[in-house]
Amino acid sequence: MTSIRLQGRRLGKRVAGACAALLLPLLACSDANDRLLGVTDPDIINPTDIVNADGAIALGNGAIATFRSITGGGESTWLFGGLLADEWSTSSTFIQNDETDQRFIQEFNSSVTGMLRDLYRVRTRTNEAIASLREYSPNSTALIGEMYLARGFAEMQLALDFCNGIPINNLGSPEPSNETPKTNQQVFQYAAASLDSAIATATGTDATSVQVNRAARVARGRVALALGAFTEAAGFVTGIPSSFAYQHTFSLTTSNNTIWGQGLSARRYSVGDSVEGNARNIRVTNALPFASAGDPRLPVTIRTSGAINGQDGQTYARTTTMWQQLTPVDVANGIDARMIEAEVALRAGNVTQWLGIHNALRAAPPKLGEIQPAAMPALVDPGSEAARVSLHFREKAFWTFSRGQRLGDMRRLIRQYGRTEATVFPQGVHYKGGNYGTDVNLPVVQAERNNPNFTGCIDRNP
C-alpha cells in the first residue's frame, strides 16, 4: 500500500508537471494574441476620447472640413444652383445635371440628395462642436464663433437654394428628429440667429476672430437682404474693407477645389452663356452671356471646332481658368459687402452712391481666384429704375460667379422686384433637346419622405 501510494504521488507530480509544461506555451500564445489583436487603432475615435479640450477643438476642425464641402470643396449647390440658374450649362453624362440645367428636377435626383445631406451635416457637426467647445474649451471663442458662422451659412444656403418646406429645427441639438417643414423665410430667420451668435462670440482682436466676425457680418447682411431688411443689411457690413476675404483652402492631402475639378478639369460643367449649342445657334432668353461677354472678371475659352472636349462626348465645353486645383474660394469677401451697400443705396433711391460703389470696384478690381482683372470703364446711369436693377444684378453676377449667390438673387428678382420667372430664368429650346422647364429652386428630396411630417415641398415658389 505504501509503495502504491508513493508511485501514485510520483505519477501525479509527473502529470501535473506535464500539464504545466503544456499550459505555459498556451498562456504565452494567448498573451501574444492579446498583444497583437489588442492594438489601438488610431483611425477609431471613441466618444471617451473627445471629452476634453483637445477633443472639442478636433470636433470644431472636423466641422470646418464639412463646411468646406458645401462651398468649393464638394459638388455643392454652388455648382448645382448655378446650373439651375445661368452660371453653368451641362456638358455631363449625368441625367441629374441635365435635368437641373433644363429646370425640370425630379424629387429623387441623387446629386441634390447628397448636397442636401451635406448642408444638414454642417448643422449637425457644428451643433456637436459648439456644445463640446463650450464645455471643455470655452476660451476658444474664435472657433466657437466659426461654428456659428458655418451653421448660419448652411442655413442661409438652404433657404437660398431649396423650395419652401425644409424640415429642420432651431434647437441647436445634434440628435436626429422628425421635424416639420419650414418656409424659406423661417430658415432665413434661423440663419440670422446663428450668424448673430457668431458676431457676438467672435469679438477678439486676433486675426482669426476678426476674419470670422467679418465673414459672419457679410453673411448676416446677405440674410437681411433676403428678408427684405435693406437698411439693416448695410449696417452689418459697414467698415469691412473691399480687400477682405474669408476663404476655404485646399491641399493635395485633403480635397481639391471642386469648381476647378468639375469645370476645367473634368469639363462636366460649361460656363453659361446666352447662346448655346456647338454651332452657337440656340438663343437662351434671359441668360447672362457669362462666356461670351469678354468680361475681364471671367475669362472664358469658347471652343467651336476640333475634338469635342465635354465630359459627355457631345458638347464643346466652355472653360475658365479662374480656379486651379488648389485655388482657395472666397466664402465671404469685401466685394459681397460692397454689393450689399450698393443694393441698399439703390433701394433708397441714392443713384449717385449706388453707381459710385460699383465704379470704385471697377477702377481697382480685387483679385478673383487666379484672375487679377484689369481696371474697367466706369458705368453710366442707364436712366430708369428697372434698368438700374438689371445692371446691378448683372455686375454682381460677374463679381460673385459660382459662389452660391446667383440662384438666390434670381429668386429675389421675382420675390422682391416684381419680375416673373419668364423674364428672369432661362427660357426657350434647351440645347440637349426639349424646352426649359419652370423650376426656380431645388426640391427637398424624396429621401426626406422617411420623415412622417414631410410630404414634399410646401410649394416651388421663388
Side-chain angles (χ1 to χ4, degrees):
M1 295 292 294
T2 301
S3 175
I4 293 172
R5 283 199 298 273
L6 288 173
Q7 289 175 359
R9 288 172 185 163
R10 291 191 187 107
L11 181 61
K13 288 179 180 178
R14 290 186 189 128
V15 171
C19 289
L22 289 170
L23 186 60
L24 285 172
L26 290 173
L27 291 172
C29 288
S30 176
D31 183 59
N33 283 339
D34 287 344
R35 290 198 305 273
L36 288 170
L37 300 178
V39 173
T40 301
D41 188 339
D43 295 329
I44 296 177
I45 300 175
N46 296 305
T48 55
D49 297 331
I50 57 173
V51 288
N52 52 53
D54 288 343
I57 291 169
L59 277 177
N61 291 334
I64 292 171
T66 307
F67 185 15
R68 189 186 300 118
S69 74
I70 68 167
T71 61
E75 191 175 7
S76 68
T77 61
W78 278 25
L79 281 166
F80 247 52
L83 199 59
L84 176 58
D86 57 356
E87 290 178 311
W88 295 102
S89 301
T90 179
S91 51
S92 170
T93 56
F94 286 23
I95 187 63
Q96 294 90 340
N97 292 51
D98 291 353
E99 70 182 32
T100 301
D101 187 33
Q102 198 166 354
R103 301 177 52 221
F104 191 76
I105 311 166
Q106 299 181 82
E107 195 181 74
F108 52 82
N109 185 299
S110 59
S111 295
V112 177
T113 301
M115 294 168 196
L116 182 61
R117 286 174 176 165
D118 285 343
L119 288 160
Y120 286 160
R121 286 182 182 122
V122 173
R123 300 184 79 240
T124 299
R125 290 174 183 173
T126 53
N127 285 337
E128 292 172 341
I130 289 167
S132 184
L133 286 162
R134 288 206 176 279
E135 182 171 359
Y136 299 109
S137 188
N139 292 327
S140 300
T141 53
L143 185 55
I144 296 171
E146 196 164 14
M147 295 300 95
Y148 282 117
L149 165 63
R151 190 176 81 184
F153 198 95
E155 290 160 344
M156 176 183 69
Q157 206 70 59
L158 279 166
L160 288 171
D161 296 334
F162 284 85
C163 65
N164 285 292
I166 304 166
I168 62 173
N169 66 38
N170 196 32
L171 300 178
S173 171
E175 297 301 320
S177 59
N178 291 323
E179 292 303 321
T180 56
K182 306 300 190 299
T183 65
N184 293 153
Q185 292 296 92
Q186 288 175 302
V187 179
F188 278 129
Q189 293 288 0
Y190 291 175
S194 295
L195 295 166
D196 286 342
S197 295
I199 295 166
T201 304
T203 57
T205 57
D206 60 286
T208 301
S209 294
V210 171
Q211 288 289 94
V212 170
N213 184 276
R214 286 175 174 173
R217 286 162 55 200
V218 168
R220 184 64 178 84
R222 290 179 57 196
V223 169
L225 289 184
L227 290 170
F230 293 95
T231 303
E232 179 183 314
F236 285 111
V237 298
T238 299
I240 295 177
S242 298
S243 58
F244 159 71
Y246 170 89
Q247 297 180 319
H248 281 164
T249 58
F250 310 99
S251 73
L252 295 176
T253 57
T254 56
S255 63
N256 295 328
N257 180 320
T258 305
I259 307 175
W260 163 84
Q262 294 292 316
L264 182 61
S265 180
R267 296 182 298 280
R268 292 183 61 226
Y269 291 75
S270 179
V271 177
D273 204 26
S274 56
V275 180
E276 287 289 357
N278 289 344
R280 308 276 299 155
N281 59 351
I282 302 174
R283 173 72 180 170
V284 184
T285 303
N286 301 326
L288 287 183
F290 286 107
S292 60
D295 195 291
R297 292 166 289 193
L298 183 62
V300 177
T301 298
I302 301 175
R303 178 179 286 189
T304 58
S305 62
I308 294 289
N309 65 337
Q311 189 250 1
D312 60 5
Q314 300 174 340
T315 306
Y316 284 124
R318 300 176 292 267
T319 57
T320 178
T321 55
M322 180 180 286
W323 301 279
Q324 295 298 322
Q325 186 174 6
L326 302 180
T327 306
V329 296
D330 289 0
V331 179
N333 61 26
I335 297 173
D336 297 338
R338 301 293 82 79
M339 291 299 102
I340 292 168
E341 291 172 339
E343 186 173 351
V344 171
L346 183 59
R347 290 284 298 198
N350 192 334
V351 176
T352 300
Q353 183 184 8
W354 164 73
L355 205 55
I357 293 169
H358 279 295
N359 285 334
L361 281 176
R362 291 174 66 89
K367 189 175 182 181
L368 301 172
E370 298 293 334
I371 305 302
Q372 178 55 66
M376 293 170 278
L379 301 172
V380 297
D381 181 8
S384 71
E385 182 68 16
R388 290 169 189 145
V389 169
S390 295
L391 178 58
H392 172 80
F393 281 96
R394 177 191 170 99
E395 280 291 289
K396 184 179 180 183
F398 277 97
W399 284 121
T400 63
F401 181 79
S402 201
R403 287 184 46 237
Q405 300 192 34
R406 180 62 176 161
L407 177 58
D409 282 344
M410 293 171 79
R411 294 177 72 181
R412 286 202 302 118
L413 280 168
I414 300 171
R415 195 171 66 246
Q416 296 177 339
Y417 288 89
R419 303 197 177 185
T420 65
E421 173 267 331
T423 62
V424 172
F425 280 81
Q427 306 285 326
V429 175
H430 192 272
Y431 60 100
K432 283 199 171 184
N435 294 321
Y436 283 95
T438 58
D439 287 352
V440 296
N441 46 47
L442 300 174
V444 176
V445 293
Q446 188 177 49
E448 279 293 344
R449 291 182 182 268
N450 292 314
N451 173 356
N453 296 323
F454 178 79
T455 57
C457 293
I458 295 172
D459 59 56
R460 301 297 301 276
N461 295 337

